[in-house]
Amino acid sequence: MRREKLAKLQAEGRDPFAIVTWKQTHHSKEIKENFEALENKDVSVAGRVMSFRDIGKAAFIDLQDRDGRIQVYLNAEGLGDEAYAHIKTWDVGDIIGVEGYVFKTRRGEMSIHAEKMVLLTKALEPLPEKFHGLKDPEIRYRRRYLDLVMNPQVMDTFRKRTLIIKAIREYLDSREYIEVDTPILSTIASGAAARPFVTKSNALNLQLYLRIATELYLKRCIVGGMERVYDMGKNFRNEGIDSSHNPEFTMIELYQAYADYNDMMELCENMIAFAAEKATGSAKVMYQGTQIDFTPPWRRLTMTDSVKEYGGIDFSAVKTDAEAQALAKEKGLEHELKKKLKDCTKGDILNAAFEKYAEEHLIQPTFILDYPTDISPLTKQKPGDPTMTERFEAFVYAREIANAYSELNDPIVQLDRFLQQEREKELGDDEAYTLDEDFVSSLEVGMPPTGGMGIGIDRIIMFLTDAYSIRDVILFPTMKPNN
RNA sequence: GGGCUGCUAGCUCAGUAGGUAGAGCAACGCCCUUUUAAGGCGUGGGUCACAAGUUCGAAUCUUGUGCAGCUCACCA
């Protein structure tokens, strides 16, 4: 039916697809916000026909543009008999241009009294139903364009996404950080515990990996003397998909020379509070019915203290791996451990106890400090305690949103840590860190003491837009094909 | 990967003692000059996700497959 209408239009020499441009002087929202100034003035708008109420010798169209909707009133007096009859053949979903003057209907609806209307694009597929809209999550994600047309909240979320990302850039740029692009394709995917995607260069006849982190390249930039750098972009991890994981996701990593993890904590809480205010107008936001307050300073708690507080286990009294193993057995922690109990260090067991007892309680923004050395191969040890590192993770609503540390810059220790990881890999941990020899040699050139941090941008956006699933903040989430 | 749930008209959803498939909106036709989930009268529209099985007969029961959502595990 719509195809027949299109064919007729083309036969009549008014093919909408032949039109190249339309002069848009106003958007819906600015007309509504400046109604008094614009009343009886001419405007030109464009957008999609969302509903068409034909009442005979007059009709009303709800026109939707980037910012919302505005009603268009049309009749034969304003447009001429022939044009009016023609416009009545248009459909919901069509994209049109309208010129006319601004006025208010009897019911008080701010509207445009049409004087000229042009069909700019014919929609061959009808839109979902106007009242119930589009709900099916599969169609919403697969055909996001329909979701954007039908669900204004979705448009709002993705506009906020842009505001948040801009705010983060603004925050760092104003503090003399340099934004760089590090490689997405490389022969070694390291810098995080994750399996990479594998691809191949035809020209080089070479197996390449998609990056799982930007860390090792950014630290090379610090070695080179950039002092403050960041890379905000996609990482790729070949892992499962759920409501907080997408195989490709946006991450920022930033590094600051002559700083440590305490400086990173301050940067983290201030930057996220800044982004929250820019995007939502407040550092306090509602997330899934719970108020989250990002106002600095956030709570600071060591991992050991968190396990003591929430699990009633005092690891500061545990001296050896054997004692820790006995404790793990007593508390039934074997289940939480990846390795066999006898291969576990005190650090592995502390981390397992943290995940079991403490993590779920971390609703308001909280920094968990001082991670075991065994699970932190790129991190500097704490002065006076080689089993622990100067590392923190930030938690909100029991989810990790940031990971930061005082960077390990001793090339000899770093090589040892990588070799330990290689051994883990041989023991069957296919997510252990891969040795990057060139990175180690960059440390031999000399990296100043440096603080670094990674923040999951999608997760920050989830909290600031009240999104339950990461798919609601990624325009085109990864999906299996369905035919 | 495990468990649970869903898949019926373009959209939102009904539809089991197994018996020729329904509503609202959308579409099509007619009426209506300030409506707004406009209204009134009329009409058309389906490989019930896919495949096999049970049965005289399957949207409905059984098995398998696909996709999706939730959830647990894994993973930061």
Side-chain angles (χ1 to χ4, degrees):
Chain A
M1 185 56 67
R2 288 175 184 236
R3 283 170 202 278
E4 287 165 22
K5 284 183 183 177
L6 175 64
K8 186 158 175 265
L9 287 167
Q10 287 167 333
E12 288 168 356
R14 34 180 168 192
D15 180 0
F17 293 115
I19 294 173
V20 292
T21 187
W22 175 261
K23 188 171 169 53
Q24 197 180 12
T25 64
H26 292 76
H27 281 90
S28 57
K29 191 174 159 196
E30 65 180 314
I31 293 170
K32 289 182 175 177
E33 284 176 354
N34 302 294
F35 178 78
E36 254 108 83
L38 288 169
E39 189 167 16
N40 294 316
K41 302 261 170 54
D42 282 335
V43 294
S44 173
V45 297
R48 192 181 293 275
V49 176
M50 297 305 290
S51 74
F52 200 121
R53 293 181 293 281
D54 180 355
I55 55 167
K57 295 200 170 58
F60 298 87
I61 284 173
D62 288 332
L63 188 75
Q64 177 167 287
D65 65 17
R66 181 187 69 190
D67 295 339
R69 294 185 184 186
I70 186 142
Q71 177 170 270
V72 175
Y73 173 73
L74 51 147
N75 62 17
E77 283 162 27
L79 292 156
D81 290 337
E82 191 204 347
Y84 182 68
H86 170 65
I87 289 161
K88 282 205 187 189
T89 68
W90 296 355
D91 294 303
V92 170
D94 290 351
I95 292 169
I96 64 173
V98 178
E99 288 174 15
Y101 62 86
V102 175
F103 80 112
K104 220 176 235 186
T105 63
R106 273 180 212 161
R107 296 283 187 94
E109 178 84 19
M110 290 176 272
S111 307
I112 296 169
H113 197 296
E115 290 166 324
K116 180 185 175 192
M117 296 177 70
V118 176
L119 180 61
L120 298 173
T121 297
K122 185 73 196 163
L124 297 180
E125 181 179 316
L127 290 176
E129 192 234 335
K130 64 189 175 190
F131 186 60
H132 295 93
L134 178 66
K135 291 182 178 172
D136 182 345
E138 187 167 351
I139 301 175
R140 288 187 48 224
Y141 298 142
R142 280 191 202 284
R143 307 187 71 194
R144 182 71 88 180
Y145 42 92
L146 287 177
D147 194 26
L148 285 165
V149 169
M150 298 308 298
N151 297 317
Q153 275 198 335
V154 174
M155 183 72 81
D156 186 54
T157 293
F158 287 103
R159 292 180 76 164
K160 275 192 183 140
R161 182 181 171 109
T162 297
L163 291 177
I164 293 160
I165 287 171
K166 273 185 164 167
I168 290 170
R169 285 207 164 95
E170 181 187 335
Y171 191 90
L172 293 173
D173 293 346
S174 71
R175 282 161 182 75
E176 299 186 85
Y177 273 79
I178 298 169
E179 181 171 11
V180 297
D181 290 306
T182 60
I184 290 173
L185 294 174
S186 71
T187 51
I188 297 168
S190 190
R195 275 183 289 174
F197 285 93
V198 185
T199 186
K200 183 184 171 249
S201 163
N202 291 332
L204 301 176
N205 187 27
L206 187 66
Q207 178 167 283
L208 292 170
Y209 301 96
L210 274 63
R211 71 182 179 194
I212 57 174
T214 52
E215 174 151 4
L216 303 187
Y217 282 104
L218 288 171
K219 286 195 230 180
R220 286 170 169 94
C221 296
I222 297 290
V223 169
M226 284 186 170
E227 295 195 6
R228 297 180 179 202
V229 287
Y230 70 93
D231 183 328
M232 179 150 44
K234 290 281 180 73
N235 282 357
F236 307 85
R237 298 190 182 173
N238 208 338
E239 294 164 356
I241 300 177
D242 63 30
S243 57
S244 58
H245 296 83
N246 195 62
E248 57 175 301
F249 62 100
T250 302
M251 169 101 122
I252 184 170
E253 289 193 39
L254 57 93
Y255 293 82
Q256 181 176 336
Y258 315 112
D260 68 2
Y261 79 149
N262 292 301
D263 299 308
M264 289 299 110
M265 263 179 261
E266 280 179 39
L267 179 61
C268 181
E269 61 196 2
N270 286 313
M271 183 168 76
I272 290 175
F274 178 77
E277 275 171 34
K278 284 275 179 175
T280 72
S282 169
K284 295 187 174 80
V285 303
M286 286 303 288
Y287 186 70
Q288 306 293 301
T290 301
Q291 191 186 61
I292 306 283
D293 186 357
F294 288 102
T295 308
W298 300 354
R299 188 179 182 206
R300 286 152 166 77
L301 188 65
T302 66
M303 181 179 271
T304 303
D305 286 345
S306 75
V307 170
K308 197 168 166 184
E309 176 173 338
Y310 295 108
I313 305 172
D314 186 2
F315 271 84
S316 62
V318 177
K319 299 298 176 203
T320 64
D321 290 348
E323 277 178 58
Q325 287 166 12
L327 190 61
K329 204 160 195 177
E330 180 193 328
K331 298 288 180 186
L333 282 167
E334 292 106 316
H335 232 60
E336 318 290 320
L337 294 161
K338 291 176 236 177
K339 295 181 285 189
K340 286 179 184 158
L341 187 57
K342 67 176 172 56
D343 294 329
C344 285
T345 61
K346 176 188 164 188
D348 292 326
I349 293 162
L350 171 62
N351 189 52
F354 167 74
E355 286 174 3
K356 180 170 179 183
Y357 297 113
E359 200 168 7
E360 62 182 305
H361 298 287
L362 307 176
I363 302 303
Q364 293 301 319
T366 304
F367 293 118
I368 295 295
L369 329 186
D370 300 348
Y371 278 64
T373 305
D374 316 285
I375 58 170
S376 311
L378 302 172
T379 310
K380 195 176 269 194
Q381 285 150 321
K382 277 191 84 71
D385 183 1
T387 68
M388 301 297 267
T389 57
E390 289 208 340
R391 173 181 177 187
F392 73 80
E393 292 188 349
F395 288 85
V396 174
Y397 208 76
R399 284 190 182 139
E400 182 212 334
I401 58 165
N403 179 18
Y405 24 93
S406 301
E407 304 296 334
L408 177 58
N409 61 345
D410 180 334
I412 296 166
V413 175
Q414 181 66 79
L415 181 60
D416 280 346
R417 299 271 191 91
F418 271 128
L419 293 175
Q420 176 61 34
Q421 289 290 315
E422 294 285 314
R423 283 193 288 276
E424 303 273 342
K425 202 166 255 191
E426 281 162 24
L427 286 173
D429 182 359
D430 54 6
E431 291 179 350
Y433 289 58
T434 303
L435 169 62
D436 184 335
E437 288 177 319
D438 179 69
F439 169 66
V440 175
S441 48
S442 78
L443 295 185
E444 288 170 359
V445 172
M447 183 172 82
T450 296
M453 175 159 62
I455 297 175
I457 296 294
D458 305 292
R459 291 192 182 168
I460 298 295
I461 294 166
M462 286 168 68
F463 289 118
L464 299 185
T465 58
D466 197 17
Y468 176 74
S469 168
I470 198 167
R471 291 180 212 95
D472 293 324
V473 300
I474 292 174
L475 272 171
F476 302 101
T478 306
M479 305 278 276
K480 283 194 188 180
N482 68 347
N483 343 323

